């Protein structure tokens, strides 16, 4: 290895602790959901969780002197993002964990990229479907069938719980490309948009929750483990985790930060086994590995990578860009000379434009 390929250890230390902390926080969230639904209706648990997360981000927003969006168009799009990215999936995971193990819910959460790509390609048209991505999707959905254990038959509360967790991941598949197309391009910061998203989700749950599950119970009537679970889910897993994720993206880059998806189910399985004593059937972790392999293939992390080459350049020049970074264009001198004659005394003027545009 040369100095160009050896990882910078100091740079690794700058983002790896936050990366692992985020995976542990999101992986442990399924444990706290499992504890919370023992006394709370899933809608009430989601309401308390999201409201706590919104309050946490509001405090961060004030400390950083940021502000909420002011455009009605942005808020209108956030109604959709809040529903499919927060309110519905959080509630579905709660319903699901009334029937399945917390570690299995964590595994289903890892299937989110399998929904994001086809919806981004077919519905929102923000991505293109390559052959590599198609192979990855095929592998991923094969892993889904293995996790479900379809050869054992369908039906029963456990199967229904898995489908609810599967539906939660599908909701993320709608919210992520929708947000990318309609919200991400706005001038507001990620912290501002996320705070607004949680505020909208809190309002949605405050309206729907009492209609479906009745009035939420007073926090004073809940046991200490449930109250602690709600606070951890809201303040840490829904609020501060976003701040950590933002830092990971800034320090390590978006591509590296997104690979936390591969660690979340590992932490969920370990925590569920150590804390709750849960156990999985053999096909569930095997299916999870197939799912993660499919996601890795679809994202280009596994398999051959196609290199772009300049026409006529031999293999040794394959690392050169397929598009020249600079292009020079000649512009003639003005027809009307100035006081000192033609600009640059009639000499040719070369204009260099970055990116060839």
């Amino acid at each position: 290895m040369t100095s160009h390929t050896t990882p910078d250890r100091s740079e690794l230390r700058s983002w790896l602790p936050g990366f692992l902390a985020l995976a542990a926080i999101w992986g442990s969230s399924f444990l706290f959901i499992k504890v919370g639904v023992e006394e709370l209706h899933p809608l009430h648990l989601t309401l308390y969780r999201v409201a706590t997360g919104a309050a946490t981000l509001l405090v961060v927003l004030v400390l950083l002197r940021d502000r909420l969006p002011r455009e009605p168009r942005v808020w209108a799009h956030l109604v959709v993002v809040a529903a499919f990215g927060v309110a519905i999936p959080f509630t579905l995971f709660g319903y699901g964990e009334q029937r399945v193990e917390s570690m299995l819910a964590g595994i289903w959460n890892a299937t989110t990229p399998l929904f994001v790509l086809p919806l981004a390609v077919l519905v929102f048209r923000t991505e293109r479907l390559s052959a590599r991505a198609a192979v990855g999707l095929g592998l991923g959905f094969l892993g889904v069938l293995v996790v479900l254990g379809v050869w054992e038959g369908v039906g029963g509360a456990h199967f229904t719980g898995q489908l609810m967790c599967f539906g939660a991941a599908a909701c993320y598949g709608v919210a992520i490309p929708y947000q990318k197309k309609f919200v991400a391009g706005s001038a507001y910061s990620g912290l501002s948009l996320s705070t607004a998203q949680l505020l909208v989700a809190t309002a949605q749950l405050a309206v729907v929750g009492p209609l479906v599950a009745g009035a939420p119970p007073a926090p004073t009537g809940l046991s200490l483990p449930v109250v602690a679970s709600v606070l951890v889910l809201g303040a840490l897993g829904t609020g501060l985790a976003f701040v950590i994720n933002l830092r990971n993206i800034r320090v390590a880059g978006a591509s590296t930060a997104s690979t936390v998806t591969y660690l979340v189910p590992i932490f969920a399985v370990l925590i569920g086994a150590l804390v709750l004593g849960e156990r999985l059937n053999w096909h569930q972790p095997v299916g999870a590995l197939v799912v993660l392999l499919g996601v890795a293939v679809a994202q280009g992390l596994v398999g051959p990578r196609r290199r772009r080459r300049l026409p006529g350049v031999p293999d040794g020049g394959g690392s050169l860009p397929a598009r020249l970074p600079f292009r020079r264009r000649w512009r003639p001198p003005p027809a009307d000379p100035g006081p000192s004659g033609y600009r640059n005394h009639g000499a040719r003027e070369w204009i260099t434009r970055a990116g060839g545009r």
Side-chain angles (χ1 to χ4, degrees):
M1 298 180 68
T2 66
S3 59
H4 298 287
T5 59
T6 304
D8 188 339
R9 293 184 179 181
S10 61
E11 181 181 350
L12 185 66
R13 287 195 296 267
S14 67
W15 61 264
L16 187 59
F19 182 85
L20 295 176
L22 188 63
I25 291 171
W26 281 344
S28 64
S29 295
F30 301 98
L31 163 67
F32 297 117
I33 293 173
K34 189 72 172 179
V35 174
V37 294
E38 292 180 357
E39 297 181 18
L40 285 170
H41 189 280
L43 275 167
H44 294 157
L45 174 62
T46 304
L47 172 60
Y48 284 145
R49 171 187 180 178
V50 173
T52 305
T56 303
L57 287 188
L58 277 174
V59 172
V60 177
L61 200 72
V62 172
L63 293 176
L64 296 181
R65 298 182 180 181
D66 204 344
R67 66 181 184 181
L68 292 171
R70 297 184 178 182
E71 298 178 24
R73 179 189 63 83
V74 174
W75 285 95
H77 286 307
L78 286 176
V79 171
V80 179
V81 176
F84 286 95
V86 178
I88 299 177
F90 284 11
T91 304
L92 283 176
F93 273 124
Y95 276 115
E97 290 200 44
Q98 288 180 327
R99 299 163 175 82
V100 302
E101 299 81 3
S102 67
M103 56 174 62
L104 190 54
I107 288 175
W108 283 116
N109 184 72
T111 64
T112 296
L114 301 181
F115 293 99
V116 172
L117 182 57
L119 287 173
V121 171
L122 300 175
V123 179
F124 299 102
R125 300 186 181 278
T126 57
E127 304 285 346
R128 291 184 178 181
L129 184 62
S130 63
R132 179 189 62 201
V135 172
L137 288 176
L139 277 174
F141 282 107
L142 176 62
V144 167
L145 297 178
V146 175
V147 173
L148 283 172
V150 292
W151 58 87
E152 296 180 349
V154 297
H158 196 269
F159 184 81
T160 302
Q162 291 198 69
L163 290 183
M164 289 177 174
C165 296
F166 193 50
C171 287
Y172 292 140
V174 174
I176 292 173
Y178 185 95
Q179 185 172 11
K180 180 178 180 180
K181 183 171 184 178
F182 297 108
V183 180
S186 66
Y188 301 100
S189 67
L191 176 61
S192 173
L193 293 172
S194 293
T195 306
Q197 178 182 341
L198 291 182
L199 289 173
V200 173
T202 301
Q204 293 171 338
L205 291 163
V207 173
V208 175
L211 296 176
V212 176
T220 54
L222 301 174
S223 65
L224 182 59
V226 172
V227 173
S229 295
V230 171
L231 293 177
V232 172
L233 277 172
L236 191 60
T238 311
L240 293 180
F242 171 76
V243 179
I244 297 174
N245 190 44
L246 275 183
R247 182 184 182 279
N248 291 345
I249 293 173
R250 185 177 68 251
V251 176
S255 298
T256 300
S258 67
T259 57
V260 72
T261 305
Y262 300 96
L263 293 183
V264 169
I266 296 175
F267 277 97
V269 169
L270 290 176
I271 293 172
L274 295 176
V275 179
L276 298 178
E278 296 176 339
R279 294 293 181 268
L280 293 175
N281 294 323
W282 68 268
H283 59 84
Q284 291 163 347
V286 171
L289 291 176
V290 177
V291 167
L292 294 178
L293 176 61
V295 172
V297 171
Q299 294 180 343
L301 300 177
V302 174
R305 298 184 180 183
R306 185 179 61 181
R307 296 185 301 178
R308 302 174 66 184
R309 297 175 180 172
L310 284 171
V313 177
D315 291 346
S319 60
L320 293 175
R323 184 180 185 183
L324 288 174
F326 296 98
R327 181 178 67 186
R328 288 184 171 181
R329 185 178 65 186
W330 178 75
R331 187 169 68 190
D336 184 18
S340 59
Y342 286 112
R343 185 168 46 181
N344 294 333
H345 302 286
R348 290 183 176 181
E349 180 184 358
W350 294 92
I351 308 297
T352 302
R353 308 181 67 187
R357 291 189 297 271

